Amino acid sequence: GQNIDQPTEMTATEGAIVQINCTYQTSGFNGLFWYQQHAGEAPTFLSYNVLDGLEEKGRFSSFLSRSKGYSYLLLKELQMKDSASYLCACMDSNYQLIWGAGTKLIIKP
Amino acid sequence: IAGITQAPTSQILAAGRRMTLRCTQDMRHNAMYWYRQDLGLGLRLIHYSNTAGTTGKGEVPDGYSVSRANTDDFPLTLASAVPSQTSVYFCASSDSLDSYNEQFFGPGTRLTVL
């Protein structure tokens, strides 16, 4: 079956760095997405990886290892506004997104 | 303002009633999607459309139907609502079904079926 695993909740301190991990098993693979979702709002796109390696975008970076079925999202210089859920999603062979349940990130001052 | 709109924002519905959730995008995207989001679960795809006039079933299509008469609109209909359809429903769109296209989400409709 298809499965995306990520931690349910993480806590970090303002100004620090946090890494959110995601492991996946899907029927085929056409890329991995990370989305941010603030409480009561819609998900918004953060990153897309289809090749192995690290993609950096400002304070956020995303890493992919296809051989390990593994990705992480790295958030640097954490700000209070980064408190949100982070959703990992894989695109399968039918170009449908399979979503993880999300990681709720709590930032403390 | 470019984006996706959904209506209504929230709705309380009696079981057995028919309900249509509306979704409109003005980005001229070819692909559109309907998801439901439930606590503790990931977003689950209900139906999708890769272009006007065509639709497809996602992971959880039972009890739902869609139509795509034009590029902009993608309504989702619950023919006879049941309490298990209580959820937050998100409409999304992307330029196409291709892998590298990010999906843009509407603000969601919170539906409660009693």
Side-chain angles (χ1 to χ4, degrees):
Chain A
Q2 307 200 97
N3 195 50
I4 310 289
D5 283 318
Q6 51 182 131
T8 302
E9 187 175 294
M10 299 182 70
T11 301
T13 304
E14 190 177 16
I17 299 173
V18 70
Q19 178 175 311
I20 303 174
N21 296 324
C22 170
T23 57
Y24 64 88
Q25 280 185 303
T26 54
S27 304
F29 181 81
N30 280 302
L32 187 140
F33 294 78
W34 284 96
Y35 281 75
Q36 180 189 60
Q37 186 177 25
H38 286 101
E41 297 183 8
T44 55
F45 171 80
L46 287 177
S47 68
Y48 170 72
N49 295 66
V50 68
L51 300 176
D52 286 357
L54 188 69
E55 295 277 345
E56 296 186 78
K57 263 191 193 180
R59 294 190 299 115
F60 292 7
S61 303
S62 57
F63 172 84
L64 176 67
S65 168
R66 294 184 61 163
S67 62
K68 295 182 179 178
Y70 168 71
S71 173
Y72 68 72
L73 181 69
L74 191 71
L75 292 74
K76 303 176 185 175
E77 301 169 15
L78 286 169
Q79 302 175 10
M80 297 303 293
K81 67 179 182 179
D82 297 330
S83 292
S85 288
Y86 291 86
L87 314 180
C88 174
C90 285
M91 186 161 279
D92 68 11
S93 56
N94 294 319
Y95 295 101
Q96 291 186 11
L97 282 177
I98 309 301
W99 296 80
T103 299
K104 183 178 181 180
L105 178 63
I106 299 167
I107 310 294
K108 295 187 173 178
Chain B
I1 298 176
I4 302 182
T5 58
Q6 292 184 236
T9 303
S10 64
Q11 182 76 44
I12 298 173
L13 190 66
R17 297 298 295 270
R18 181 184 179 89
M19 175 75 191
T20 295
L21 307 185
R22 300 184 298 279
C23 174
T24 300
Q25 55 102 358
D26 63 1
M27 295 176 282
R28 309 303 295 172
H29 283 166
N30 290 305
M32 297 187 75
Y33 316 83
W34 274 105
Y35 292 96
R36 60 178 290 173
Q37 187 174 40
D38 302 290
L39 201 62
L41 297 177
L43 287 158
R44 291 182 291 169
L45 183 65
I46 305 170
H47 284 286
Y48 67 93
S49 167
N50 64 359
T51 190
T54 67
T55 62
K57 293 182 180 180
E59 180 186 355
V60 289
D62 294 343
Y64 306 95
S65 63
V66 291
S67 62
R68 188 88 183 276
N70 56 60
T71 297
D72 299 344
D73 301 301
F74 191 45
L76 176 74
T77 297
L78 289 67
S80 178
V82 295
S84 61
Q85 291 178 312
T86 293
S87 188
V88 180
Y89 290 86
F90 286 103
C91 179
S93 72
S94 65
D95 190 44
S96 71
L97 278 183
D98 290 342
S99 56
Y100 52 84
N101 288 290
E102 67 176 277
Q103 293 183 13
F104 294 83
F105 284 78
T109 293
R110 185 174 295 275
L111 182 66
T112 302
V113 182
L114 301 176

